[in-house]
Amino acid sequence: MSQFDVTEQRKADWESAANALQIRDKAYIDGKFVSATSGKVFECINPATDAVLATVAECDAADVDRAVKAARAAFESGVWSAMAPMNRKAVLLRLAELIRQNLVELALLDSLDMGKLVNDAAMVDVPGSATFFQWYAEAIDKVYDEIAPTGPGDLAMITREPLGVVGAVVPWNFPLDMATWKCAAALAAGNSVVLKPAEQSPLSALRLAELASEAGVPDGVLNVLPGYGETAGQALGLHPDVDCLAFTGSTAVGKLFQQYAGQSNMKQVWLETGGKSPNLVFADCADLDAAADMAAFGIFFNQGEVCSANSRLLVERSIQAELVEKLIARADAMQPGDPLDPESKMGAMVSSEQTKTVMRYINIGKTEANLVVGGEQVKIDGRGNFVQPTIFDNVDANATIATDEIFGPVLAVVPFDSEDEAVSIANDSVYGLAASVWTDGLSKAHRVAGRLRAGTVSVNTVDALSPMTPFGGFKQSGFGRDLSLHSFDKYTALKTTWIKY
Ligand code: NAD
């Protein structure tokens, strides 16, 4: 399958590759695929067709305990944690290569499992995962420790040490990438990891664990437990032998992980949570077509199931009508379709539950604001869970659809009259994950970017992101950062060793 040319693929090619898939459906503990201790399984549903894709091991507290024991034993043995960084680098570079070689399979697993366009998975998610593993592999033998300027007679060394067992609990919107953001940095730093993917999308993580073994990651260093949040996720959060819990998901569940830590061993908890990111378009924006293109991408990409989705469009009133007209045209051109069809512009929602949630918000929106495009749930070939790209104009900044995270393809357009008003509306949110600003004014760009309370501010683009720059939130969007060297702060502890001579 690695010979498959992604840029040349047709729907029939993806379908036949999908039919040939061999799905890994067991938990991955200590280098082996194993059934859940209870013997239970749960169904993975393809949301584009409502068909059962696989029945997967349903892990719970007993399996969490097994996996944590394996992770701890591997960590204490030093087989990975004490390996020279150059050697860990070689293993993780092999893993990056294996991800590239298995691109078709990994892209299909994510697309079938959670409804995203297979083209996006193949061109964004899977290459991204390989790049992130490669980046952390290449970084790990270039990070130096410190010597404090104590003066003669003393040598105070400040070293970074891996924490031990890292629990990672991740969501379904970018299954492989969200797992990678945690695992690449945590593994590069020398930790063992117990990963719980979302119950909606466990399949690519299971294959990732197998590829990690093939690359040379020792048994027990990366364990993957499919299962539900309330059982497996909670057990990981409460486990007394987990040193650090890295979470990406909703703000409500993030708060639970803080409680789990307080109720158990005070493990470090790092949260990447929700967002309601504002996209501020000023009248002096140099290229309104580019702003419209990126505003549409910013809310409709991945069906709007993006934590940093630009779900609030704050537009200066003098250009509101023109921009909204351009956005309607773009929404019309981005109708959902079969995720395996390269011609489709938007995929399926992750589940029927998420579709109901999004439709509930759309119905609230119809009572709060002016629906200008979309607003309907649709079926493709008579089945599946799809929602039209939807735009509400003239939304009050305090309306439900302008304040709640919807996590779907629903844009709230809020007009403003001044820079102060725009900044004040943008910051009036419990979230602070990302923001975008469109202006041709250099001073205004810096001034507004400086005033926005968000982890990432993109100017004249949206959702700027790379392995080189930290990603994370202010306020209830979380704390701690994924990506960049700063991510190592989450997975290492500083040690001072003071030598008197
Ligand atoms: P979610 O919080 O429902 O689930 C995330 C993970 O937590 C899943 O693995 C789930 O099984 C687990 N979980 C659920 N309930 C739990 C419980 N009671 N105890 C322990 N674990 C539990 O979120 P979701 O619906 O999968 O994802 C959507 C959310 O994720 C959105 O709010 C989105 O903004 C957020 N997200 C944030 C980022 C970021 O980087 N900030 C990235 C992607 C998604």
Side-chain angles (χ1 to χ4, degrees), residues 168-174 178 181-182 196-201 225 227-238 245 247-254 256-257 260 271-276 304-309 350 354 405-407 431 433 471-473 476-478 482:
V169 177
V170 296
W172 44 259
N173 58 343
F174 295 91
M178 291 298 101
W181 285 21
K182 309 300 184 202
K196 196 206 81 65
E199 53 270 38
Q200 296 86 347
S201 61
L225 303 179
Y228 290 102
E230 296 75 9
T231 49
Q234 186 187 66
L236 203 50
L238 285 170
L245 196 297
F247 172 76
T248 296
S250 62
T251 294
V253 175
L256 290 179
F257 276 102
Y260 301 153
L271 304 178
E272 300 275 0
T273 51
K276 189 76 184 176
E305 295 165 331
V306 180
C307 53
S308 51
V350 65
Q354 183 66 9
E405 182 185 45
I406 299 174
F407 224 58
Y431 300 114
L433 189 55
F471 183 95
Q476 291 186 46
S477 290
D482 277 329

